[in-house]
Amino acid sequence: MASYLTEPFDRLPFGGPEKSRRYATERYHGAVGLNWYDCDPTLRFLMRRHLGDGFGWAEPRLREMGALMGGPIAERAEETDRNPPRLEKYDRWGRDISRVVMPPSFEAARRDIVATSFTRPGFVAEASANGVAPAPLGVAWSYLLDQADIGMACALGTGGDMVVALTELFAPEDVKARVRELFAAGEMSGEAAQMLTERSGGSDLGALESTASREGDAWRLNGLKWFASNANGSAFVVLAKPEGAADGVRGIAPFLVLTERRDGSRNGVRIRRLKDKLGTRSVASAEIEFTDAEAFLLAPSASAGEGGDGRGLARMMELTNGARLGISMMGLGCARRALVESLCYARTREAFGAPLAEQPLMRRKLAELIVETEAVQALVFDGYLGRPRLRVGAALIKLRAARLGVTAASDAIEIHGGNGYIEQWPVARILRDAQVNPIWEGGDNILCLDVRRAIERQDAHEPFLDRLTEAVQQAPPGDDATVDLVSDRIGHVRQAVGAWRKLDRTVAEARLYPLAQYMADVYAAALLLEQAGWERADSGTDRKALVARLYARSHLADTGPLRAIDGPAEDLERFKDLADGALIDHRD
């Protein structure tokens, strides 16, 4: 039943029941309220593939998680966006307490997520005891959470693995014990943050100014971090330059800073202000000042007198690829949510005598969204679960996934029309949130420079091309043209890398972007062909082969002088296969 009052204009001469029905709000169901596992055939397919015999044990738990994320967590994300964190700077005596107050909606969501997380130690142990690989379940958990709230994902996951790993390697024993207590609920518990960026430099970390002075087996750290997310955490990895160290990248060292000193007193961590951000309002981002903060060097103790071994930043960057995959998953989460909202809306909204989803131009747009989202899904899942782990993989995947989150959300707003531009509809927040992903953990230019390092120092393109060739070999029979096209382009990428290496250094740097984009295009096409082979073996169907074919035509084929205007219209002819394979909505 409708929950709104019948308006007088519904009874005007040119109104009437049929026109009014088109705008009956109870007909419009978005993504919230769906079980995000049950409604997603692509996720179920990937879980069957990666879990194997463990799928039967895992599926009820995946279904429970799908209901949680698509229900309470998604609803609370909207509430937190409207009522973001606030800073209590001083107590009633005027003392600096720098306390971040999180809204009740955030706290309730975090409690439920941490208690049921597929990454918590107890669940991982239970899965392993039942012969189920926990890694695919952790990936599915992140994929579902990121559709609800990438800010929450950031709050839970920022730097937890880095804090735990480096602390176990380098911190004093009593500090290790304290950190183990903090992370008893797992690395994704919202206790960590990494603090790198300063006013003097974001990506240019060699320009940072924070300093640390030796004090026994600890250090005193002073400086200002300009953009630190999850400021309400308890354990931070902070970059600083030890006194006497060289100025520049090799002089940087990572330090552990806890909110409390060893003696239990408050550490010298002051929050100047929370950032008034465009999106991701559920994670508290702040300017943080360290004033004689107790800190612990996260570097080999043998070289502690010099402030580390000169590999502090490099050691952190080795852990950064995992963070980049996390941001890639956030981009995919935004794209998937934008796709679901678009399909839900287009199936209901009517214009020119039919639902939007039956209009040829809208079908073209929706088909494109489906194909692009599933291509990025293939990239992100391969980044996490593919073997071997590719050195260039994380940079290429983030380059594509972070950008798709923005463009897909923008498309979703256009599909919703003026409604999409209104904050009461969900797609406006998706766009505001998605815009941060190309920035977090390195923008496009930084990712391209990482691709250069990997190629020049490690010939990382060789295992990458081997992986692509292996993927294409798994393609099902019957579409030789697509297989030949992708195989041909793998050879072209090898030629492109060779030609790029011969360029003048300045020109070569400028050409990194098209090179990386080409590599990502062929990577995604090869993975979609691999998935098509899995699908044929799993169910005997050819939908993924269709997705691979459409993607390869769009990104890799020579479209000729007519720009493929005269090409096959499979995106329209088989739209129902594409759409039904992307979203099952039992409410229809």
Side-chain angles (χ1 to χ4, degrees), residues 33 36 41 50 119 131 155 191 212 319 418:
W36 288 354
H50 288 291
T119 66
E191 295 293 344
L319 297 169

Side-chain angles (χ1 to χ4, degrees), residues 479-512:
D479 193 353
D480 293 342
T482 303
V483 172
D484 290 346
L485 173 61
V486 178
S487 298
D488 188 55
R489 296 303 184 260
I490 293 173
H492 287 179
V493 168
R494 182 181 295 280
Q495 294 176 32
V497 172
W500 170 80
R501 290 183 117 169
K502 297 175 183 177
L503 294 174
D504 170 81
R505 187 72 174 173
T506 300
V507 175
E509 182 171 314
R511 297 291 184 266
L512 277 168

